[in-house]
Amino acid sequence: MNDAAPPVGVLALQGDVVEHLRMLTAAGARAVRVRRAEELAAVAGLVLPGGESTTMAKLARAFEVLEPLRAAVKAELPMYGSCAGMILLADRVLDGAADQETVGGLDITVRRNAFGRQIDSFEADLALDPGLAGGDGAFRAVFIRAPWVEEVGRRVSVLARVRQAPDPGALGRIVAVRQGNLLATSFHPELTGDERVHRYFVDLVRSS
Ligand code: GLN
């Protein structure tokens, strides 16, 4: 697809949907809400927002969109998960709820609320992969009860690690990854007005 303004959905079950819709629009997409399988079938890419991954997974089941989401991952629909969205895309979750389901597809192990044992929320300067961020990759990231990536499979590229954090145990942790058409960040670019991650994702949608 090489649509100038491709239709890109935001999974609108729970979480910071409006912020992602705004950022996708700014990044040149035609942004729409997705709740149901028919709506999912109509988009060329999908954002899974931040929020509560356990709640989102339960709602996805209730709205009968969990299996269609899994099928969409298998069909290589580009998806970008931020924070809870990263957890939803992960194949393995540590510190999850006992019955926590995910969409899966991204060969990573995430630890839920990984930073939260020390502090709920913080901002930090990151070096994002220059292929995504341009220049030296400097990026100001907002973390809110965020997961980190504890392990990645061989097909996964690491796009950012923590360089600065209130808890020294967080230093070096992986917070942005890509595997094929799946992109995920522990942090929330939709809250900072920095459009680079969304532009990168919309470019990925256009080129896939
Ligand atoms: N801690 C949340 C979860 O486990 C994620 C937080 C967020 O998305 N800001 O789902």
Side-chain angles (χ1 to χ4, degrees), residues 62-79:
F63 278 74
E64 295 178 356
V65 76
L66 188 60
E67 293 306 334
L69 285 168
R70 288 175 175 159
V73 168
K74 288 205 177 75
E76 297 185 5
L77 184 76
M79 293 197 195

mmCIF file of all heavy atoms in Angstrom, residues 62-79:
data_model
loop_
_atom_site.group_PDB
_atom_site.id
_atom_site.type_symbol
_atom_site.label_atom_id
_atom_site.label_comp_id
_atom_site.label_asym_id
_atom_site.label_seq_id
_atom_site.Cartn_x
_atom_site.Cartn_y
_atom_site.Cartn_z
ATOM 1 N N ALA A 62 -14.220 -9.562 25.288
ATOM 2 C CA ALA A 62 -15.656 -9.255 25.349
ATOM 3 C C ALA A 62 -16.161 -8.695 24.017
ATOM 4 O O ALA A 62 -17.278 -8.994 23.600
ATOM 5 C CB ALA A 62 -15.931 -8.273 26.480
ATOM 6 N N PHE A 63 -15.345 -7.896 23.346
ATOM 7 C CA PHE A 63 -15.748 -7.305 22.059
ATOM 8 C C PHE A 63 -15.447 -8.245 20.887
ATOM 9 O O PHE A 63 -15.585 -7.874 19.736
ATOM 10 C CB PHE A 63 -15.044 -5.960 21.840
ATOM 11 C CG PHE A 63 -15.699 -4.797 22.536
ATOM 12 C CD1 PHE A 63 -15.588 -4.632 23.912
ATOM 13 C CD2 PHE A 63 -16.453 -3.879 21.814
ATOM 14 C CE1 PHE A 63 -16.202 -3.571 24.556
ATOM 15 C CE2 PHE A 63 -17.078 -2.807 22.456
ATOM 16 C CZ PHE A 63 -16.951 -2.654 23.836
ATOM 17 N N GLU A 64 -14.991 -9.447 21.206
ATOM 18 C CA GLU A 64 -14.679 -10.472 20.198
ATOM 19 C C GLU A 64 -13.673 -9.979 19.163
ATOM 20 O O GLU A 64 -13.789 -10.272 17.978
ATOM 21 C CB GLU A 64 -15.969 -10.967 19.522
ATOM 22 C CG GLU A 64 -16.864 -11.674 20.528
ATOM 23 C CD GLU A 64 -18.192 -12.150 19.947
ATOM 24 O OE1 GLU A 64 -18.465 -11.865 18.767
ATOM 25 O OE2 GLU A 64 -18.941 -12.805 20.687
ATOM 26 N N VAL A 65 -12.694 -9.225 19.662
ATOM 27 C CA VAL A 65 -11.679 -8.707 18.752
ATOM 28 C C VAL A 65 -10.288 -9.292 19.060
ATOM 29 O O VAL A 65 -9.346 -9.075 18.315
ATOM 30 C CB VAL A 65 -11.710 -7.141 18.757
ATOM 31 C CG1 VAL A 65 -11.069 -6.581 20.005
ATOM 32 C CG2 VAL A 65 -11.078 -6.571 17.498
ATOM 33 N N LEU A 66 -10.188 -10.097 20.133
ATOM 34 C CA LEU A 66 -8.873 -10.650 20.502
ATOM 35 C C LEU A 66 -8.359 -11.622 19.434
ATOM 36 O O LEU A 66 -7.214 -11.497 18.973
ATOM 37 C CB LEU A 66 -8.932 -11.333 21.875
ATOM 38 C CG LEU A 66 -7.591 -11.778 22.453
ATOM 39 C CD1 LEU A 66 -6.639 -10.607 22.636
ATOM 40 C CD2 LEU A 66 -7.777 -12.488 23.792
ATOM 41 N N GLU A 67 -9.191 -12.544 19.011
ATOM 42 C CA GLU A 67 -8.752 -13.493 17.962
ATOM 43 C C GLU A 67 -8.498 -12.773 16.639
ATOM 44 O O GLU A 67 -7.482 -13.037 15.988
ATOM 45 C CB GLU A 67 -9.747 -14.648 17.806
ATOM 46 C CG GLU A 67 -9.827 -15.588 19.015
ATOM 47 C CD GLU A 67 -8.472 -16.172 19.449
ATOM 48 O OE1 GLU A 67 -7.553 -16.287 18.601
ATOM 49 O OE2 GLU A 67 -8.314 -16.498 20.636
ATOM 50 N N PRO A 68 -9.387 -11.840 16.217
ATOM 51 C CA PRO A 68 -9.063 -11.065 15.003
ATOM 52 C C PRO A 68 -7.747 -10.290 15.119
ATOM 53 O O PRO A 68 -7.010 -10.174 14.138
ATOM 54 C CB PRO A 68 -10.265 -10.104 14.871
ATOM 55 C CG PRO A 68 -11.399 -10.852 15.494
ATOM 56 C CD PRO A 68 -10.794 -11.615 16.643
ATOM 57 N N LEU A 69 -7.421 -9.799 16.314
ATOM 58 C CA LEU A 69 -6.132 -9.113 16.496
ATOM 59 C C LEU A 69 -4.977 -10.102 16.291
ATOM 60 O O LEU A 69 -3.977 -9.781 15.641
ATOM 61 C CB LEU A 69 -6.041 -8.489 17.893
ATOM 62 C CG LEU A 69 -6.847 -7.211 18.110
ATOM 63 C CD1 LEU A 69 -6.908 -6.871 19.602
ATOM 64 C CD2 LEU A 69 -6.236 -6.042 17.336
ATOM 65 N N ARG A 70 -5.120 -11.300 16.840
ATOM 66 C CA ARG A 70 -4.070 -12.318 16.667
ATOM 67 C C ARG A 70 -3.915 -12.684 15.196
ATOM 68 O O ARG A 70 -2.801 -12.837 14.696
ATOM 69 C CB ARG A 70 -4.409 -13.563 17.496
ATOM 70 C CG ARG A 70 -4.230 -13.304 18.983
ATOM 71 C CD ARG A 70 -4.683 -14.488 19.829
ATOM 72 N NE ARG A 70 -4.380 -14.253 21.233
ATOM 73 C CZ ARG A 70 -4.967 -14.874 22.246
ATOM 74 N NH1 ARG A 70 -5.904 -15.780 22.013
ATOM 75 N NH2 ARG A 70 -4.622 -14.603 23.485
ATOM 76 N N ALA A 71 -5.048 -12.792 14.518
ATOM 77 C CA ALA A 71 -4.996 -13.116 13.087
ATOM 78 C C ALA A 71 -4.333 -11.971 12.308
ATOM 79 O O ALA A 71 -3.572 -12.211 11.366
ATOM 80 C CB ALA A 71 -6.409 -13.371 12.563
ATOM 81 N N ALA A 72 -4.609 -10.739 12.716
ATOM 82 C CA ALA A 72 -4.023 -9.572 12.029
ATOM 83 C C ALA A 72 -2.511 -9.544 12.211
ATOM 84 O O ALA A 72 -1.770 -9.204 11.285
ATOM 85 C CB ALA A 72 -4.668 -8.290 12.553
ATOM 86 N N VAL A 73 -2.034 -9.914 13.399
ATOM 87 C CA VAL A 73 -0.579 -9.998 13.617
ATOM 88 C C VAL A 73 0.018 -11.051 12.680
ATOM 89 O O VAL A 73 1.037 -10.818 12.024
ATOM 90 C CB VAL A 73 -0.243 -10.330 15.085
ATOM 91 C CG1 VAL A 73 1.233 -10.704 15.237
ATOM 92 C CG2 VAL A 73 -0.578 -9.161 16.002
ATOM 93 N N LYS A 74 -0.643 -12.204 12.588
ATOM 94 C CA LYS A 74 -0.139 -13.275 11.706
ATOM 95 C C LYS A 74 -0.140 -12.834 10.246
ATOM 96 O O LYS A 74 0.735 -13.214 9.475
ATOM 97 C CB LYS A 74 -0.985 -14.538 11.871
ATOM 98 C CG LYS A 74 -0.745 -15.225 13.198
ATOM 99 C CD LYS A 74 -1.071 -16.718 13.157
ATOM 100 C CE LYS A 74 -0.729 -17.366 14.489
ATOM 101 N NZ LYS A 74 -1.730 -17.017 15.541
ATOM 102 N N ALA A 75 -1.123 -12.003 9.883
ATOM 103 C CA ALA A 75 -1.206 -11.486 8.512
ATOM 104 C C ALA A 75 -0.276 -10.289 8.300
ATOM 105 O O ALA A 75 -0.313 -9.648 7.253
ATOM 106 C CB ALA A 75 -2.653 -11.110 8.192
ATOM 107 N N GLU A 76 0.530 -9.974 9.307
ATOM 108 C CA GLU A 76 1.549 -8.923 9.240
ATOM 109 C C GLU A 76 0.987 -7.512 9.094
ATOM 110 O O GLU A 76 1.593 -6.639 8.475
ATOM 111 C CB GLU A 76 2.576 -9.235 8.142
ATOM 112 C CG GLU A 76 3.316 -10.526 8.467
ATOM 113 C CD GLU A 76 4.447 -10.854 7.490
ATOM 114 O OE1 GLU A 76 4.739 -10.039 6.610
ATOM 115 O OE2 GLU A 76 5.026 -11.935 7.644
ATOM 116 N N LEU A 77 -0.190 -7.285 9.681
ATOM 117 C CA LEU A 77 -0.686 -5.912 9.777
ATOM 118 C C LEU A 77 0.280 -5.132 10.668
ATOM 119 O O LEU A 77 0.601 -5.576 11.771
ATOM 120 C CB LEU A 77 -2.080 -5.887 10.416
ATOM 121 C CG LEU A 77 -2.736 -4.496 10.486
ATOM 122 C CD1 LEU A 77 -3.265 -4.089 9.106
ATOM 123 C CD2 LEU A 77 -3.872 -4.464 11.509
ATOM 124 N N PRO A 78 0.780 -3.970 10.211
ATOM 125 C CA PRO A 78 1.674 -3.199 11.075
ATOM 126 C C PRO A 78 0.957 -2.773 12.367
ATOM 127 O O PRO A 78 -0.181 -2.295 12.323
ATOM 128 C CB PRO A 78 2.018 -1.973 10.215
ATOM 129 C CG PRO A 78 1.828 -2.435 8.813
ATOM 130 C CD PRO A 78 0.662 -3.378 8.871
ATOM 131 N N MET A 79 1.613 -2.981 13.480
ATOM 132 C CA MET A 79 1.038 -2.570 14.771
ATOM 133 C C MET A 79 2.106 -1.885 15.605
ATOM 134 O O MET A 79 3.276 -2.271 15.570
ATOM 135 C CB MET A 79 0.506 -3.776 15.550
ATOM 136 C CG MET A 79 -0.695 -4.424 14.900
ATOM 137 S SD MET A 79 -1.580 -5.484 16.065
ATOM 138 C CE MET A 79 -2.594 -6.416 14.925
#
